[in-house]
């Protein structure tokens, strides 16, 4: 199961709510008596292993785990996965190193807080300190990450696109080998197509939402020119969240033979969702997907008579403007405009000194009272 958490930078809001729902028979949703088909409830004891992907911006990946990693032929799940991952990454552009016994700030910690028996590993491109100083901030942009868009051309060997492709393919193959004890089926698409997909996804999130993928999952030919904000608000659903869900449905869903009128969710089937997408064409196609949204709200605001001093769940709040309140914004000009204003002021200042000096030196001529009286007569 693929999971994208919302609000993890605010004391793990998303993962905390997921665990809370699992404990209260509400994940992925509460069972409805009127539904003929619906997803089975998932509980903490159903989790066999958690693989968390953190910052992966470099070609050296570290694995962090509280479990003892064995490098012999033991059948421990985490050890099997790490051994398989090392094997799959051999000869690629990515190296795998270990950091055993220490966990960085991660969603896995919320699971281990509830159940220490849950197996898990965090994969990241840092060992003890973050290598991306802009992580989870407004400065986590393509410009600051030195991202280059290749637009369906061959990326450089040391590009982030190639590193992410090698790493993601190795993780998928290693996970398949760990779970099914056999090599994964041959991938039907080439690495070049995967690299192109990775490049397009990075462009969509880091540069411009008016990209090919977001246009495929919607019928909008043009979206905003600037990247969408990843701001986390109280009970707010951002454009990034919606487009991420649609993209996941587009990549993992199945194309079904339904017209636009019939392509909609069924009240008696809560396990599947249907989306009408452009899908690289103007005719449109109906996509059937198991992708599902769930509410990422801190359980602290759901539990009745919650003890606010317990610090069990995140209690971040958001300050908002009332309708009748107003504010004045004093916009800071650009750097070029500031320099232009300064130079203009200096030129006027110097020019005024020249004029004053000229008038002062020629005052006996310009302001000769006798000459003025003679001219008047």
């Amino acid at each position: 199961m693929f999971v994208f958490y919302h609000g993890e930078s605010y004391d793990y809001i998303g993962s905390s709510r997921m665990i809370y729902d699992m404990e209260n028979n509400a994940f992925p949703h509460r069972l409805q008596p009127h539904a003929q088909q619906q997803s089975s409830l998932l509980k903490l004891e159903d989790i066999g292993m958690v693989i968390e992907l953190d910052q992966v911006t470099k070609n050296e990946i570290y694995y962090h785990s509280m479990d003892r990693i064995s490098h012999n032929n033991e059948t421990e799940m985490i050890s099997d996965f790490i051994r398989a991952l090392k094997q799959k990454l051999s000869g690629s552009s990515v190296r795998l190193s270990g950091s055993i016994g220490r966990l960085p700030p991660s969603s896995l910690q919320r699971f281990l807080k509830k159940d220490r028996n849950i197996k898990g590993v965090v994969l990241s491109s840092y060992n003890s300190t973050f290598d991306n100083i802009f992580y989870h901030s407004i400065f986590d942009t393509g410009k600051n990450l030195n991202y280059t868009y290749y637009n369906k051309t061959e990326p450089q060997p040391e590009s982030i696109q190639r590193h992410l492709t090698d790493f993601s393919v190795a993780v998928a193959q290693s996970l398949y080998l760990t779970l099914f004890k056999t090599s994964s089926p041959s991938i039907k698409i080439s690495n070049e197509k995967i690299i192109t997909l990775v490049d397009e996804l990075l462009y969509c999130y880091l540069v411009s939402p008016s990209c090919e993928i977001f246009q495929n999952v919607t019928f909008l030919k043009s979206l905003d020119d600037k990247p969408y904000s990843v701001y986390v608000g109280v009970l707010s659903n951002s454009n990034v969240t919606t487009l991420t869900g649609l993209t996941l449905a587009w990549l993992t869903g199945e194309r079904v033979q339904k017209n636009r009128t019939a392509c909609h969710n069924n009240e008696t089937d809560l396990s599947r969702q249907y989306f009408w997408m452009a899908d690289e064409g103007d005719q449109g196609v109906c996509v059937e997907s198991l992708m599902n949204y769930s509410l990422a709200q801190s359980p602290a605001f759901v539990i009745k008579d919650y003890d606010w001093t317990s610090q069990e769940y995140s209690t971040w709040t958001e300050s908002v403007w009332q309708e009748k309140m107003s504010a004045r914004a004093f916009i800071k000009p650009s750097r070029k405009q500031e320099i232009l204003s300064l130079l203009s002021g200096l030129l006027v200042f110097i020019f005024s000194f020249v004029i004053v000096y000229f008038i002062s030196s020629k005052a006996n001529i310009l302001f000769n009272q006798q000459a003025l009286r003679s001219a008047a007569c």
Side-chain angles (χ1 to χ4, degrees):
M1 180 175 63
F2 302 100
V3 179
F4 291 89
Y5 291 124
H6 192 62
E8 289 300 276
S9 56
Y10 292 96
D11 296 332
Y12 313 109
I13 294 177
S15 56
S16 298
R17 181 55 186 266
M18 177 179 174
I19 295 172
Y20 174 80
D21 288 342
M22 284 183 169
E23 293 177 328
N24 291 272
N25 299 324
F27 188 83
H29 53 74
R30 293 191 180 276
L31 297 180
Q32 302 296 329
H34 67 274
Q36 298 178 0
Q37 292 183 346
Q38 49 190 328
S39 302
S40 301
L41 293 177
L42 294 178
K43 300 180 179 295
L44 284 175
E45 52 266 28
D46 297 325
I47 300 177
M49 178 173 59
V50 176
I51 300 176
E52 181 173 350
L53 303 182
D54 206 328
Q55 301 179 30
V56 286
T57 56
K58 292 184 178 180
N59 61 345
E60 184 169 9
I61 301 297
Y62 296 88
Y63 58 87
H64 310 263
S65 178
M66 296 299 294
D67 300 294
R68 185 175 64 88
I69 307 298
S70 174
H71 298 281
N72 53 30
N73 292 325
E74 292 183 9
T75 58
E76 187 66 35
M77 184 175 291
I78 293 294
S79 299
D80 290 345
F81 174 75
I82 295 299
R83 285 197 299 269
L85 186 59
K86 283 188 175 182
Q87 178 184 357
K88 297 297 181 181
L89 287 176
S90 61
S92 69
S93 63
V94 181
R95 301 185 304 273
L96 185 65
S97 303
S99 177
I100 305 171
R102 294 182 300 172
L103 276 183
S106 56
S107 304
L108 177 58
Q109 296 204 27
R110 295 298 303 184
F111 288 91
L112 294 177
K113 184 178 180 180
K114 287 294 182 180
D115 188 354
R116 298 289 296 181
N117 294 321
I118 293 179
K119 306 298 181 182
V121 60
V122 178
L123 301 175
S124 68
S125 56
Y126 60 85
N127 187 4
S128 57
T129 58
F130 289 159
D131 61 325
N132 178 10
I133 61 176
F134 304 114
Y135 193 57
H136 278 172
S137 75
I138 61 175
F139 301 107
D140 196 5
T141 62
K143 180 180 179 181
N144 290 327
L145 295 177
N146 296 322
Y147 164 72
T148 301
Y149 179 48
Y150 288 93
N151 195 15
K152 299 182 180 180
T153 59
E154 183 70 18
Q156 296 295 325
E158 295 300 320
S159 64
I160 183 63
Q161 290 90 331
R162 188 166 297 278
H163 296 332
L164 288 178
T165 299
D166 292 343
F167 177 62
S168 59
V169 171
V171 169
Q173 293 176 341
S174 303
L175 184 59
Y176 190 95
L177 179 60
T178 303
L179 295 178
F180 300 103
K181 307 304 179 184
T182 182
S183 298
S184 60
S186 58
I187 301 178
K188 296 181 180 180
I189 56 178
S190 62
N191 270 18
E192 286 71 20
K193 290 186 177 181
I194 299 178
I195 292 177
T196 300
L197 175 62
V198 171
D199 190 29
E200 284 295 324
L201 285 172
L202 291 174
Y203 180 81
C204 293
Y205 286 100
L206 297 178
V207 181
S208 172
S210 293
C211 59
E212 183 177 345
I213 292 179
F214 285 174
Q215 291 175 359
N216 288 339
V217 302
T218 64
F219 271 95
L220 300 176
K221 294 298 182 182
S222 177
L223 290 89
D224 293 343
D225 293 331
K226 296 182 179 180
Y228 284 129
S229 172
V230 292
Y231 170 75
V232 177
V234 176
L235 291 179
S236 63
N237 189 21
S238 65
N239 292 325
V240 172
T241 302
T242 302
L243 288 171
T244 299
L246 292 175
T247 302
L248 187 61
W250 179 67
L251 291 173
T252 62
E254 180 181 356
R255 279 63 177 166
V256 294
Q257 297 298 325
K258 287 187 177 183
N259 56 33
R260 188 166 189 172
T261 304
C263 187
H264 58 80
N265 295 337
N266 191 339
E267 294 182 355
T268 61
D269 185 0
L270 302 181
S271 61
R272 297 175 179 84
Q273 294 196 62
Y274 296 88
F275 305 94
W276 185 256
M277 299 181 176
D279 192 34
E280 302 180 359
D282 297 329
Q283 300 299 323
V285 65
C286 186
V287 177
E288 179 187 88
S289 174
L290 299 177
M291 189 279 301
N292 179 60
Y293 295 103
S294 60
L295 186 62
Q297 181 187 18
S298 175
F301 301 100
V302 179
I303 300 175
K304 186 178 180 180
D305 298 327
Y306 174 72
D307 183 8
W308 298 97
T309 63
S310 66
Q311 299 183 356
E312 175 68 18
Y313 296 110
S314 170
T315 54
W316 287 86
T317 57
E318 180 182 19
S319 299
V320 296
W321 295 106
Q322 296 181 1
E323 294 182 0
K324 295 183 179 180
M325 296 185 66
S326 61
R328 291 183 178 181
F330 297 91
I331 302 177
K332 186 177 184 297
S334 64
R335 186 66 175 174
K336 292 182 179 179
Q337 186 175 351
E338 289 180 338
I339 295 175
L340 180 61
S341 300
L342 176 62
L343 293 178
S344 300
L346 290 175
L347 289 176
V348 172
F349 180 71
I350 295 173
F351 182 72
S352 63
F353 263 101
V354 173
I355 295 297
V356 170
Y357 174 78
F358 175 78
I359 294 176
S360 178
S361 62
K362 304 295 183 180
N364 58 338
I365 300 176
L366 297 175
F367 305 105
N368 191 321
Q369 297 296 328
Q370 184 176 359
L372 291 175
R373 286 195 297 269
S374 300
C377 294

